[in-house]
Amino acid sequence: MRIGLAQLRLENMDKNVRKALDLLRKSKADVVVFPELFNTGYNLENISKSDPKFLIEASKETKAVIIAGIPEKGYNTALVIHRGKILGRHRKTKLFPLLNEHKIFKAGKVVKPIETPFGLFGIMICYELRFPEIARKLVNKGAKILFVIAQFPSERIEHWKVLLRARAIENQVFVVGVNCVNDHCGGYSMVVDPLGNVLKELGDCEAYDEVDINIKYVDEVRKKYPFLNSP
């Protein structure tokens, strides 16, 4: 499975959408991942105009599963889209208190993996990365890869790096973290394997890259190190 990391510099809504559509046309990945609220940012005017139709239409022209964070129906949402259909959505359950996010969005209530042509995907959004119980719930329900989309700040980017690796190590899964870059967000999107090795790490500038992984490696690691089966 080839995963595309779309570490976008968030600008105005039109530019964000154009960049995403152009990237999808060029991508060779099986799964393309965009950051949290990638089309609007936290701009309240943009949030009110957000509509997933552009992604649904774009997905008809690519083989890729698209994972993208957008505002939807009052929630901070990660959509999983393939071939013109929404396969599922994760609505952010932990709203970030330092941004008063609860004044902008409602909190989601459901944590469960989403079925895709490549297996069960566990999705987390930014602040949820700090809650290991969310990752473990997704893994206990069958996810062997976790996708974390974010607007993670530059001043705490070392937390981001450590937490992504920690979630991979403690759950013996692949973890894909895709952050944005702007005046406040620090980038460093990465792919981590089930032993905590960083397979790909982007820097602090806008970038796109693709990484090949073998999901069967999760089973190999768990067989060799059966830590999840400990009583």
Side-chain angles (χ1 to χ4, degrees):
M1 176 168 51
R2 174 165 288 189
I3 299 171
L5 311 176
Q7 181 171 284
L8 299 184
R9 173 169 293 281
L10 300 192
E11 301 179 71
N12 65 58
M13 192 169 174
D14 289 339
K15 284 186 178 180
N16 297 339
V17 170
R18 280 202 307 272
K19 284 192 287 189
L21 295 179
D22 185 55
L23 187 154
L24 285 170
R25 283 191 289 268
K26 297 176 180 178
S27 172
K28 303 299 183 183
D30 299 305
V31 182
V32 180
V33 190
F34 294 95
E36 175 186 20
L37 301 177
F38 88 90
N39 61 328
T40 66
Y42 279 92
N43 182 300
L44 292 178
E45 182 178 351
N46 288 344
I47 285 172
S48 67
K49 298 175 182 177
S50 180
D51 190 316
K53 289 180 182 177
F54 74 96
L55 281 175
I56 294 169
E57 289 303 312
S59 74
K60 297 176 182 178
E61 306 300 324
T62 176
K63 68 173 185 177
V65 173
I66 300 169
I67 300 174
I70 70 166
E72 188 207 31
K73 299 179 180 179
Y75 294 93
N76 184 335
T77 301
L79 292 178
V80 181
I81 303 171
H82 185 238
R83 298 292 195 185
K85 295 182 179 180
I86 296 176
L87 301 182
R89 52 175 51 81
H90 172 67
R91 290 169 169 166
K92 192 174 185 180
T93 62
K94 299 288 186 180
L95 302 180
F96 191 50
L98 298 186
L99 283 179
N100 290 317
E101 200 173 11
H102 65 281
K103 295 182 179 180
I104 305 172
F105 297 112
K106 298 176 284 188
K109 304 295 183 184
V110 179
V111 175
K112 66 177 182 180
I114 295 169
E115 184 69 58
T116 79
F118 303 101
L120 291 171
F121 285 0
I123 313 291
M124 295 165 34
I125 303 177
C126 203
Y127 185 47
E128 293 179 317
L129 180 61
R130 293 186 175 274
F131 298 85
E133 63 272 19
I134 295 176
R136 181 54 59 90
K137 182 177 286 189
L138 290 166
V139 169
N140 285 343
K141 292 182 177 181
K144 294 183 179 179
I145 182 167
L146 302 177
F147 294 90
V148 186
I149 62 171
Q151 289 201 35
F152 215 92
S154 302
E155 62 184 326
R156 293 186 293 279
I157 205 66
E158 292 303 318
H159 294 194
W160 163 256
K161 297 177 186 179
V162 171
L163 289 167
L164 289 172
R165 295 186 69 197
R167 297 295 87 86
I169 292 167
E170 67 197 8
N171 292 292
Q172 298 178 304
V173 292
F174 285 97
V175 173
V176 177
V178 176
N179 197 16
C180 62
V181 288
N182 55 26
D183 292 340
H184 306 289
C185 298
Y188 283 93
S189 301
M190 65 171 68
V191 177
V192 186
D193 79 7
L195 290 176
N197 300 305
V198 177
L199 304 181
K200 176 65 65 175
E201 180 179 84
L202 305 183
D204 60 0
C205 298
E206 183 172 70
Y208 176 77
D209 208 342
E210 297 179 353
V211 183
D212 290 310
I213 66 167
N214 182 357
I215 205 71
K216 293 180 180 178
Y217 186 55
V218 172
D219 295 325
E220 295 174 17
V221 169
R222 291 178 179 179
K223 183 176 180 180
K224 186 175 182 179
Y225 303 107
F227 302 150
L228 292 181
N229 297 329
S230 297

